Short mmCIF file of all heavy atoms in Angstrom, two decimals:
data_model
loop_
_atom_site.label_atom_id
_atom_site.label_comp_id
_atom_site.label_asym_id
_atom_site.label_seq_id
_atom_site.Cartn_x
_atom_site.Cartn_y
_atom_site.Cartn_z
N GLN B 597 -79.14 0.58 -87.88
CA GLN B 597 -77.80 0.59 -88.40
C GLN B 597 -77.75 0.41 -89.91
O GLN B 597 -76.99 1.05 -90.63
CB GLN B 597 -76.96 -0.48 -87.71
CG GLN B 597 -76.53 -0.14 -86.28
CD GLN B 597 -75.70 1.10 -86.23
OE1 GLN B 597 -76.09 2.12 -85.69
NE2 GLN B 597 -74.45 1.04 -86.76
N THR B 601 -76.37 3.21 -92.58
CA THR B 601 -75.34 2.82 -93.57
C THR B 601 -75.75 3.07 -94.95
O THR B 601 -75.02 3.62 -95.81
CB THR B 601 -74.96 1.34 -93.35
OG1 THR B 601 -74.55 1.11 -92.04
CG2 THR B 601 -73.85 0.94 -94.36
N VAL B 631 -69.55 -1.31 -100.74
CA VAL B 631 -69.85 -2.61 -100.13
C VAL B 631 -68.74 -3.02 -99.18
O VAL B 631 -68.93 -3.51 -98.07
CB VAL B 631 -70.07 -3.69 -101.18
CG1 VAL B 631 -70.23 -5.04 -100.53
CG2 VAL B 631 -71.32 -3.35 -102.01
N LEU B 632 -67.50 -2.80 -99.62
CA LEU B 632 -66.33 -3.20 -98.81
C LEU B 632 -66.33 -2.30 -97.54
O LEU B 632 -66.08 -2.83 -96.45
CB LEU B 632 -65.08 -2.97 -99.57
CG LEU B 632 -63.77 -3.35 -98.81
CD1 LEU B 632 -63.78 -4.83 -98.38
CD2 LEU B 632 -62.51 -3.05 -99.67
N GLY B 633 -66.67 -1.03 -97.70
CA GLY B 633 -66.68 -0.14 -96.54
C GLY B 633 -67.81 -0.57 -95.56
O GLY B 633 -67.64 -0.60 -94.32
N GLY B 634 -68.95 -0.96 -96.11
CA GLY B 634 -70.06 -1.41 -95.27
C GLY B 634 -69.72 -2.68 -94.60
O GLY B 634 -70.09 -2.92 -93.40
N LEU B 635 -68.99 -3.59 -95.27
CA LEU B 635 -68.62 -4.85 -94.67
C LEU B 635 -67.65 -4.69 -93.47
O LEU B 635 -67.81 -5.26 -92.43
CB LEU B 635 -67.97 -5.74 -95.77
CG LEU B 635 -67.77 -7.24 -95.39
CD1 LEU B 635 -69.09 -7.92 -95.13
CD2 LEU B 635 -67.00 -7.91 -96.55
N ILE B 636 -66.65 -3.80 -93.70
CA ILE B 636 -65.67 -3.58 -92.62
C ILE B 636 -66.31 -2.84 -91.46
O ILE B 636 -66.14 -3.24 -90.27
CB ILE B 636 -64.48 -2.73 -93.18
CG1 ILE B 636 -63.68 -3.53 -94.23
CG2 ILE B 636 -63.55 -2.30 -92.04
CD1 ILE B 636 -62.63 -2.73 -94.94
N ASN B 637 -67.12 -1.79 -91.73
CA ASN B 637 -67.81 -1.12 -90.67
C ASN B 637 -68.80 -2.09 -89.94
O ASN B 637 -68.95 -1.99 -88.72
CB ASN B 637 -68.63 0.08 -91.24
CG ASN B 637 -67.72 1.26 -91.59
OD1 ASN B 637 -66.65 1.40 -91.02
ND2 ASN B 637 -68.17 2.08 -92.47
N GLY B 638 -69.45 -2.93 -90.73
CA GLY B 638 -70.37 -3.88 -90.08
C GLY B 638 -69.64 -4.84 -89.14
O GLY B 638 -70.13 -5.17 -88.07
N ALA B 639 -68.46 -5.29 -89.52
CA ALA B 639 -67.67 -6.17 -88.70
C ALA B 639 -67.25 -5.51 -87.38
O ALA B 639 -67.33 -6.08 -86.31
CB ALA B 639 -66.42 -6.71 -89.43
N LEU B 640 -66.80 -4.25 -87.50
CA LEU B 640 -66.42 -3.51 -86.29
C LEU B 640 -67.63 -3.23 -85.40
O LEU B 640 -67.58 -3.33 -84.16
CB LEU B 640 -65.73 -2.22 -86.72
CG LEU B 640 -64.42 -2.37 -87.49
CD1 LEU B 640 -63.87 -1.06 -87.92
CD2 LEU B 640 -63.36 -3.13 -86.59
N ILE B 641 -68.72 -2.78 -86.00
CA ILE B 641 -69.96 -2.46 -85.20
C ILE B 641 -70.50 -3.73 -84.60
O ILE B 641 -71.05 -3.75 -83.46
CB ILE B 641 -70.99 -1.81 -86.14
CG1 ILE B 641 -70.54 -0.45 -86.54
CG2 ILE B 641 -72.36 -1.75 -85.43
CD1 ILE B 641 -70.49 0.55 -85.41
N SER B 642 -70.36 -4.85 -85.28
CA SER B 642 -70.93 -6.13 -84.82
C SER B 642 -70.21 -6.51 -83.49
O SER B 642 -70.81 -7.09 -82.57
CB SER B 642 -70.79 -7.23 -85.80
OG SER B 642 -69.44 -7.63 -86.00
N VAL B 643 -68.90 -6.26 -83.38
CA VAL B 643 -68.13 -6.58 -82.19
C VAL B 643 -68.72 -5.75 -80.96
O VAL B 643 -68.93 -6.31 -79.93
CB VAL B 643 -66.65 -6.33 -82.40
CG1 VAL B 643 -65.88 -6.51 -81.07
CG2 VAL B 643 -66.07 -7.27 -83.46
N VAL B 644 -68.87 -4.45 -81.24
CA VAL B 644 -69.38 -3.57 -80.18
C VAL B 644 -70.76 -4.01 -79.78
O VAL B 644 -71.12 -4.04 -78.56
CB VAL B 644 -69.31 -2.09 -80.60
CG1 VAL B 644 -69.90 -1.18 -79.55
CG2 VAL B 644 -67.92 -1.70 -80.95
N THR B 645 -71.60 -4.27 -80.80
CA THR B 645 -73.01 -4.64 -80.54
C THR B 645 -73.07 -5.97 -79.74
O THR B 645 -73.83 -6.09 -78.77
CB THR B 645 -73.76 -4.81 -81.85
OG1 THR B 645 -73.62 -3.61 -82.60
CG2 THR B 645 -75.27 -5.05 -81.59
N ALA B 646 -72.32 -6.94 -80.15
CA ALA B 646 -72.30 -8.25 -79.49
C ALA B 646 -71.85 -8.11 -78.03
O ALA B 646 -72.43 -8.76 -77.11
CB ALA B 646 -71.38 -9.23 -80.22
N ALA B 647 -70.83 -7.29 -77.80
CA ALA B 647 -70.38 -7.08 -76.38
C ALA B 647 -71.48 -6.38 -75.56
O ALA B 647 -71.67 -6.79 -74.39
CB ALA B 647 -69.15 -6.21 -76.40
N CYS B 667 -75.61 -13.23 -79.18
CA CYS B 667 -74.55 -12.30 -79.66
C CYS B 667 -74.09 -12.70 -81.05
O CYS B 667 -73.84 -11.86 -81.88
CB CYS B 667 -73.38 -12.34 -78.67
SG CYS B 667 -73.66 -11.60 -77.05
N ILE B 670 -76.91 -11.51 -83.56
CA ILE B 670 -76.95 -10.06 -83.90
C ILE B 670 -75.65 -9.62 -84.51
O ILE B 670 -75.63 -8.78 -85.39
CB ILE B 670 -77.28 -9.22 -82.63
CG1 ILE B 670 -77.63 -7.79 -83.06
CG2 ILE B 670 -76.08 -9.17 -81.67
CD1 ILE B 670 -78.23 -6.99 -81.96
N GLY B 671 -74.53 -10.24 -84.18
CA GLY B 671 -73.25 -9.86 -84.81
C GLY B 671 -73.21 -10.24 -86.24
O GLY B 671 -72.85 -9.40 -87.11
N SER B 672 -73.57 -11.46 -86.54
CA SER B 672 -73.56 -11.88 -87.95
C SER B 672 -74.58 -11.12 -88.80
O SER B 672 -74.32 -10.74 -89.94
CB SER B 672 -73.82 -13.38 -88.07
OG SER B 672 -75.07 -13.73 -87.44
N SER B 673 -75.80 -10.92 -88.26
CA SER B 673 -76.82 -10.15 -89.00
C SER B 673 -76.36 -8.70 -89.23
O SER B 673 -76.72 -8.09 -90.22
CB SER B 673 -78.16 -10.21 -88.28
OG SER B 673 -78.08 -9.52 -87.06
N MET B 674 -75.64 -8.14 -88.25
CA MET B 674 -75.20 -6.73 -88.40
C MET B 674 -74.21 -6.61 -89.55
O MET B 674 -74.29 -5.66 -90.38
CB MET B 674 -74.49 -6.26 -87.11
CG MET B 674 -74.24 -4.79 -87.05
SD MET B 674 -75.77 -3.81 -86.87
CE MET B 674 -76.14 -4.12 -85.13
N ILE B 675 -73.33 -7.61 -89.72
CA ILE B 675 -72.41 -7.60 -90.87
C ILE B 675 -73.14 -7.70 -92.18
O ILE B 675 -72.87 -6.91 -93.07
CB ILE B 675 -71.40 -8.71 -90.69
CG1 ILE B 675 -70.53 -8.54 -89.48
CG2 ILE B 675 -70.47 -8.81 -91.96
CD1 ILE B 675 -69.57 -9.72 -89.16
N VAL B 676 -74.04 -8.64 -92.26
CA VAL B 676 -74.82 -8.82 -93.53
C VAL B 676 -75.68 -7.56 -93.81
O VAL B 676 -75.68 -7.07 -94.94
CB VAL B 676 -75.71 -10.06 -93.36
CG1 VAL B 676 -76.64 -10.18 -94.58
CG2 VAL B 676 -74.90 -11.28 -93.26
N THR B 677 -76.33 -7.04 -92.81
CA THR B 677 -77.24 -5.90 -93.00
C THR B 677 -76.46 -4.69 -93.46
O THR B 677 -76.88 -4.00 -94.45
CB THR B 677 -78.00 -5.57 -91.73
OG1 THR B 677 -78.81 -6.70 -91.33
CG2 THR B 677 -78.88 -4.38 -91.88
N MET B 678 -75.38 -4.39 -92.86
CA MET B 678 -74.66 -3.13 -93.20
C MET B 678 -73.98 -3.24 -94.58
O MET B 678 -73.91 -2.24 -95.35
CB MET B 678 -73.60 -2.81 -92.15
CG MET B 678 -74.28 -2.38 -90.80
SD MET B 678 -73.11 -1.94 -89.47
CE MET B 678 -72.37 -0.44 -90.17
N ALA B 679 -73.49 -4.48 -94.88
CA ALA B 679 -72.91 -4.65 -96.24
C ALA B 679 -73.97 -4.53 -97.31
O ALA B 679 -73.80 -3.84 -98.35
CB ALA B 679 -72.21 -6.00 -96.29
N MET B 680 -75.14 -5.17 -97.10
CA MET B 680 -76.19 -5.11 -98.11
C MET B 680 -76.81 -3.70 -98.15
O MET B 680 -77.31 -3.28 -99.21
CB MET B 680 -77.25 -6.19 -97.75
CG MET B 680 -76.72 -7.59 -97.85
SD MET B 680 -76.06 -7.98 -99.50
CE MET B 680 -77.54 -7.89 -100.48
#
Side-chain angles (χ1 to χ4, degrees):
Q597 285 299 112
T601 303
V631 173
L632 181 59
L635 192 62
I636 295 174
N637 285 334
L640 297 175
I641 291 294
S642 70
V643 174
V644 178
T645 306
C667 291
I670 193 168
S672 56
S673 67
M674 192 70 76
I675 297 174
V676 174
T677 298
M678 293 181 66
M680 296 302 294

